[in-house]
Amino acid sequence: IRDRPFYVGEECLKCHSGQGYSVGDIRGGLSVSIPFERSILGHGLHNMKSVGLFALLWLSGLVGVAILGRKIHRQFLLTLASDQQLDHAEMSLNFLSNYDRRTNLPNRFKFEELLTEMLSRAERAGEQVIVTALEVCNHKQIANNLGSAVGDYLLKTVAERVVSFCPEGSSVARLEEHRLVVAFIVRQDLLSAKTLTNDIFNEACKPLLLDGHEFFPVVCMGTALSPDDTSEARQLVQKAGSALMFCIEGKKGGVKSYSLEMQEEDRNRLEIERGLRTALADNSFDLYLQPQVDATSGELTGAEALLRWKHPERGFISPAEFIPVAEENGLILPIGEWVIQTAALQAVKLHQRFM
């Protein structure tokens, strides 16, 4: 044996074979050679202290290797667990950003992505796509009276019914609190597709039972067709929503298809909304006082304040036309404040003039 650590020489093979080890055990294992010509050969192979010290060094090496192996194994397990946690967090984040947690349906952003892909496939195949907006009109009423859990059950049940009736390759999503949207490619003729839409409506309206109580979903639906109405995903959803609003305003339920008349009315509503915002900013509303007279005595008892609006291009617009638009767009509150302030100022002026 020479002064070369980590070296297995012929003498090592002879010595180990004398202790019952085979050549394979030595060659296949871990052997640490330490120069000991001066320590052991100089004092004799039977020096037990030297042999014991050498054995202790050998065992220490094995223990060190075992400890190091455990540390490496533990670090590997920690790294594996950390990677698994990271993958789980990424999956959870992806689900929350693309899907609705109550119904497990895609949300608005994911649906627009799916709809864009569907429109591309349909365009290449020369097919049409129907988008249907569906709203459970009494969802809020049921949730307020019986609790949000019952409201969620109602919406989830309607969603499951809609999904079960849709053809293969359809996309169903939850857009708002109580609004769903459905899109599917027209595989056959348009009449069959409209029949399927009516079947979905009838299935969604079926009563459901919860805790011994029977509920009847009040459903309204609006549809838009690509490419007839538009070929852009977001506009198609908006037009289906417009048809849905016309259906809701009719207060009869059912299914309404988007039409050019709706498009014209939408354009008119947008024009009125812009005009109302401008009138608020410019203080260009008019308030007329209509006297209230006692029919018996003929005495003046008060005055009724009447709001009027003269559009710069269209002239006077009836309150029956612009008030609903103001209510839909949140303008009714600032308009109401303007009416109250103006009426109060006019009342003060009249009091100062005639009293």
Side-chain angles (χ1 to χ4, degrees), residues 237-254:
V237 174
Q238 290 175 349
K239 292 187 175 184
S242 296
L244 172 63
M245 292 307 300
F246 276 89
C247 185
I248 293 174
E249 289 172 0
K251 298 182 180 179
K252 295 181 180 179

Side-chain angles (χ1 to χ4, degrees), residues 30-270:
L30 177 65
S31 180
V32 180
S33 298
I34 300 176
F36 58 96
E37 287 180 350
R38 296 184 183 87
S39 61
I40 294 182
L41 294 179
H43 297 84
L45 292 174
H46 298 289
N47 190 329
M48 298 305 296
K49 290 184 178 180
S50 298
V51 172
L53 176 62
F54 198 71
L56 180 62
L57 291 174
W58 179 72
L59 289 173
S60 299
L62 292 179
V63 171
V65 170
I67 293 174
L68 179 61
R70 288 186 62 185
K71 287 184 177 180
I72 294 175
H73 182 255
R74 183 183 178 189
Q75 186 64 36
F76 170 76
L77 293 178
L78 290 174
T79 303
L80 181 62
S82 178
D83 290 342
Q84 290 175 344
Q85 291 175 355
L86 182 60
D87 292 341
H88 179 72
E90 290 178 350
M91 291 175 61
S92 299
L93 181 61
N94 177 69
F95 179 84
L96 292 174
S97 60
N98 291 291
Y99 293 87
D100 172 63
R101 63 183 181 86
R102 292 181 180 176
T103 60
N104 293 331
L105 295 176
N107 58 19
R108 177 185 294 273
F109 306 104
K110 183 63 176 180
F111 177 76
E112 288 184 358
E113 177 184 330
L114 296 173
L115 180 57
T116 300
E117 296 175 357
M118 184 183 296
L119 290 171
S120 299
R121 294 196 306 269
E123 184 179 3
R124 290 194 296 268
E127 297 173 324
Q128 294 176 301
V129 174
I130 282 186
V131 172
T132 301
L134 180 152
E135 185 161 317
V136 183
C137 301
N138 59 341
H139 170 266
K140 186 175 182 180
Q141 178 185 4
I142 291 176
N144 290 340
N145 292 325
L146 302 175
S148 58
V150 178
D152 290 344
Y153 173 77
L154 171 66
L155 185 66
K156 188 173 182 179
T157 302
V158 171
E160 290 173 352
R161 292 175 175 179
V162 171
V163 171
S164 67
F165 253 73
C166 288
E168 185 179 356
S170 303
S171 293
V172 183
R174 182 184 184 184
L175 293 192
E176 299 173 11
E177 183 180 3
H178 40 266
R179 181 175 297 186
L180 307 175
V181 64
V182 184
F184 59 87
I185 296 177
V186 181
R187 301 294 184 186
Q188 302 176 7
D189 58 284
L190 187 58
L191 180 60
S192 299
K194 291 185 177 181
T195 301
L196 176 59
T197 302
N198 290 327
D199 291 341
I200 293 174
F201 170 78
N202 293 329
E203 181 67 18
C205 291
K206 286 183 178 179
L208 56 106
L209 195 66
L210 178 64
D211 295 334
H213 298 282
E214 195 174 34
F215 302 94
F216 291 84
V218 178
V219 176
C220 289
M221 294 172 58
T223 66
L225 182 65
S226 170
D228 294 11
D229 296 322
T230 180
S231 296
E232 200 274 327
R234 184 168 297 181
Q235 291 183 7
L236 199 59
V237 174
Q238 290 175 349
K239 292 187 175 184
S242 296
L244 172 63
M245 292 307 300
F246 276 89
C247 185
I248 293 174
E249 289 172 0
K251 298 182 180 179
K252 295 181 180 179
V255 183
K256 194 82 172 177
S257 299
Y258 188 78
S259 63
L260 292 177
E261 290 77 11
M262 294 181 187
Q263 183 175 355
E264 186 63 31
E265 188 161 342
D266 281 344
R267 203 174 286 130
N268 181 55
R269 285 172 179 263
L270 288 174

